[in-house]
Amino acid sequence: MKPASLGPAYRARAVRELADQEFDVLVVGGGVVGAGAALDAVSRGLSVGLVEAADWAAGTSSRSSKLIHGGLRYLEQRDFGLVREALRERALLLTRIAPHLVHPVPFLYPLKHRMWERFYVGAGIGLYDTMGGSGAVPRHRHLSHRRALRMAPALRGDSFVGAIQYFDAQVDDARFTMTLARTAAEYGATVVSRARATGFVREGERVTGARVHDLENDQEITVRAREVINATGVWTDETHRLAGARGDVEVRASKGVHILVPRDRIRLDTGLIMRTEKSVLFVIPWGRHWIIGTTDTAWEQEVDEPAASGADVDYLLEHVNSVLAIPLAHDDIEAVYAGLRPLVSGGSAETTKLSREHTVSRPVPGLTVIAGGKFTTYRVMAEDVVDVAAERLPTNVPASATHRLPLAGAVGYEVLWNDRRRLAARANLHVARIEHLLNRYGSCVDELLELIESDPSLGEPLPAATDYLKAEAVYAVTHEGALHVEDVLRRRLRASMEEWDQGAAAAPEVAALIAPYLGWDAETVKRETEHYLRHVDAEREARRSQDDESAAAALGEAPALFPDRAAS
């Protein structure tokens, strides 16, 4: 089956289908859980609609630590069930569901105490290796101080006495979420981004659909559905209010901030994990960069656009510098991003103590709500929420099949990887470039190479974001549902977090490239570019603030994409 192309023509058809059809299930929220729920439901033979107010993964699902992991700290908290479940999912993602998008990554755990800590941590990581999906990644190994220092010369020699290396996995979270939505569309789901649910349709007490504002065309449509699933993460309480329902779960937002620095600023041949007074801190390899994070603090401001403050950045620098021989400085930071974790409130004042497990509830008939959880276990969450919604449907609904269902680009990925030199010769590209493309698109790379064959100029790198080809910006629009410059630079190409200028110089280039495919005139190209640049400026201003309130105020100065429509 050929992967669906989520281009402008597809979106136009999908909007008409939303208005004309009654669905078995309507999913509200296009993050990883919502997209996963749409795929789960359609793969059971149900008719499915999926609407997202912004772009796919525009919220929490594009701002994570980019890890697929069981969570060592949950093991220490004796949350064995959560860890086992997450590790099983990690194995499925690595081997069956998305081997093109999820890849093993090594981490070094420095030990600060002799004897007892090696035994204690080693026993825990040994359990971690065997709890779920054994064999999906290499087993851990113990390292002496000398061997660890050879692997991590950036560390201060007096900051540890030895180390243990173990493996987890990483993913481009935004690309993964978009691929979920694309795979759901491939199997027949109707998926539409930039479509905000503004209220729910009711017959008596029962929810029977949603009122949806198509922000691209500034029109209101009514979407009818037998069951509605709310998968809006940190917006869950807001969605409850739209339904006129009092939810039996409360979601609290915890802010996680990450910084990126160039790879040459930290001399490591492995990722790094270290304990802090509250949680753990990761140094994660990411192409030419390191991702360092994360924080875990309560966020009391508006949830639409979490802001990283100077205090957040100082916290991360202080903790990572405590083990580095050559400390990082503010000038080393390429980019900063902030996201909000949706934690199910359990009465704790500290977000670090709230559960990462998920909860499914039905606040009113016809509406099923999924809240909490973590990126790694999205598939289990999706299965659970569809199970509950399906109980109320009049037909017999089969069990979930997503544990056996590869995502778009997975089938044939390994064959193409083995044949990457021939692909490189065919496309007149370096083998390293083909490897980069295969690990982003999998077997869908053929579609990208067809674009280059039809227009060889698209095989050139973007001048201001040379990790990416011009074809990738075009493909983001023609096949992956990008509708705006920010969709391309923030979530398809990730230039916003990988370039020193956050993709500012690439914005006019990208706008000009995608304009013909979106029907933009010169004025629209200018407006799209200016909108992106003003957001970059606002994010920089937020980083100069020392508290959440002033950082949020600074970010709030950036203009809305649809200033006359966003509040509808």
Side-chain angles (χ1 to χ4, degrees):
M1 183 180 291
K2 188 176 181 179
S5 295
L6 304 185
Y10 169 85
R11 189 182 188 281
R13 290 195 307 272
V15 169
R16 291 194 297 269
E17 289 176 8
L18 285 180
D20 295 344
Q21 186 174 339
E22 181 180 25
F23 296 93
D24 293 321
V25 174
L26 171 66
V27 181
V28 178
V32 70
V33 177
L39 178 58
D40 186 282
V42 76
S43 65
R44 301 191 198 200
L46 301 175
S47 58
V48 178
L50 169 64
V51 294
E52 160 57 38
D55 183 26
W56 308 118
T60 302
S61 296
S62 61
R63 309 178 191 204
S64 74
S65 297
K66 325 298 181 200
L67 292 178
I68 298 294
H69 64 136
L72 277 178
R73 68 170 171 148
Y74 303 119
L75 192 62
E76 189 171 21
Q77 295 167 4
R78 295 182 175 82
D79 202 341
F80 300 118
L82 178 62
V83 176
R84 183 181 296 109
E85 179 180 79
L87 290 175
R88 280 200 299 261
E89 293 304 305
R90 184 189 70 178
L92 282 173
L93 289 164
L94 281 164
T95 61
R96 184 179 304 166
I97 296 174
H100 58 313
L101 299 176
V102 181
H103 308 282
V105 60
F107 285 100
L108 195 71
Y109 190 114
L111 303 171
K112 296 186 177 182
H113 306 280
R114 299 188 184 278
M115 299 301 293
W116 72 265
E117 189 182 20
R118 185 177 289 279
F119 175 79
Y120 177 73
V121 175
I125 294 179
L127 183 61
Y128 194 75
D129 277 344
T130 58
M131 284 186 76
S134 178
V137 298
R139 291 183 61 84
H140 77 282
R141 56 176 178 158
H142 287 258
L143 302 174
S144 67
H145 181 272
R146 180 179 297 178
R147 288 183 66 196
L149 202 55
R150 281 203 301 267
M151 188 176 292
L155 298 184
R156 277 193 3 244
D158 61 354
S159 67
F160 68 104
V161 298
I164 298 175
Q165 187 183 53
Y166 75 100
F167 281 77
D168 256 319
Q170 77 174 166
V171 67
D172 183 330
D173 47 7
R175 171 155 297 281
F176 185 93
T177 302
M178 177 277 300
T179 303
L180 278 173
R182 191 178 176 190
T183 307
E186 177 183 331
Y187 286 100
T190 300
V191 305
V192 180
S193 63
R194 305 288 177 185
R196 182 188 299 275
T198 59
F200 290 101
V201 179
R202 304 181 81 127
E203 291 184 11
E205 292 185 357
R206 184 175 184 81
V207 169
T208 57
R211 293 186 297 278
V212 174
H213 187 182
D214 173 10
L215 293 167
E216 291 296 313
N217 300 301
D218 197 16
Q219 65 177 5
E220 300 285 342
I221 58 177
T222 298
V223 185
R224 296 167 296 144
R226 296 176 179 87
E227 290 289 328
V228 176
I229 290 174
N230 172 24
T232 52
V234 293
W235 289 270
T236 297
D237 294 346
E238 178 184 327
T239 314
H240 278 143
R241 287 192 292 273
L242 290 179
R246 178 169 181 157
D248 52 3
V249 296
E250 181 182 351
V251 174
R252 291 177 59 184
S254 166
K255 183 175 67 165
V257 173
H258 298 78
I259 61 177
L260 273 82
V261 301
R263 197 69 174 264
D264 62 7
R265 297 299 194 274
I266 307 177
R267 293 180 59 207
L268 293 173
D269 296 328
T270 176
L272 181 68
I273 179 174
M274 50 187 286
R275 299 174 68 100
T276 69
E277 65 275 10
K278 291 184 178 180
S279 181
V280 295
L281 190 75
F282 287 100
V283 179
I284 306 162
W286 181 264
R288 297 183 294 108
H289 320 268
W290 296 105
I291 295 176
I292 302 172
T294 179
T295 63
D296 193 346
T297 56
W299 177 257
E300 306 294 346
Q301 313 302 314
E302 291 293 324
V303 298
D304 282 359
E305 197 66 51
S309 68
D312 296 320
V313 174
D314 290 343
Y315 171 89
L316 293 173
L317 286 178
E318 176 188 351
H319 282 79
V320 74
N321 283 341
S322 69
V323 299
L324 294 181
I326 302 175
L328 296 172
H330 281 271
D331 289 345
D332 293 319
I333 297 173
E334 297 173 287
V336 179
Y337 67 91
L340 299 177
R341 306 175 190 89
L343 304 182
V344 178
S345 182
S348 170
E350 295 289 333
T351 58
T352 52
K353 297 179 182 176
L354 297 183
S355 174
R356 294 309 302 275
E357 296 187 63
H358 61 274
T359 301
V360 179
S361 65
R362 285 182 64 86
V364 295
L367 177 65
T368 307
V369 178
I370 178 80
K374 52 186 288 187
F375 196 105
T376 302
T377 56
Y378 84 90
R379 194 198 64 80
V380 177
M381 296 169 66
E383 178 180 341
D384 287 351
V385 73
V386 174
D387 279 346
V388 173
E391 290 174 0
R392 275 75 180 179
L393 292 173
T395 56
N396 243 350
V397 179
S400 175
T402 53
H403 60 292
R404 298 189 298 269
L405 184 61
L407 300 189
V411 176
Y413 159 71
E414 291 184 17
V415 174
L416 289 174
W417 179 265
N418 294 337
D419 202 25
R420 60 194 182 277
R421 288 173 180 80
R422 185 189 63 80
L423 280 178
R426 164 191 157 189
N428 197 27
L429 295 171
H430 195 280
V431 173
R433 180 74 71 174
I434 290 293
E435 291 175 351
H436 179 73
L437 294 176
L438 284 169
N439 285 332
R440 287 171 47 76
Y441 303 94
S443 56
C444 293
V445 75
D446 282 337
E447 296 173 332
L448 196 79
L449 297 182
E450 286 171 8
L451 286 176
I452 296 173
E453 287 174 359
S454 63
D455 182 357
S457 71
L458 295 180
E460 301 168 1
L462 282 167
T466 55
D467 284 351
Y468 302 99
L469 300 178
K470 292 178 180 179
E472 295 183 78
V474 171
Y475 187 83
V477 169
T478 58
H479 290 73
E480 297 180 340
L483 297 168
H484 298 277
V485 168
E486 71 170 45
D487 299 345
V488 176
L489 290 176
R490 291 190 184 279
R491 288 171 289 275
R492 302 304 187 280
L493 305 190
R494 311 319 293 267
S496 67
M497 59 181 266
E498 295 174 348
E499 297 297 329
W500 284 99
D501 66 351
Q502 281 72 72
E509 299 170 355
V510 167
L513 269 172
I514 65 179
Y517 302 92
L518 291 167
W520 291 352
D521 57 18
E523 183 59 34
T524 305
V525 169
K526 179 181 177 183
R527 185 174 64 248
E528 284 277 332
T529 302
E530 289 179 348
H531 173 268
Y532 185 82
L533 296 181
R534 290 179 68 179
H535 262 270
V536 168
D537 288 342
E539 289 172 348
R540 290 173 181 163
E541 187 62 34
R543 282 171 53 185
R544 298 185 185 102
S545 308
Q546 283 301 306
D547 59 79
D548 285 352
E549 186 175 0
S550 52
L555 200 53
E557 292 297 314
L561 189 59
F562 302 106
D564 56 337
R565 310 174 197 175
S568 301

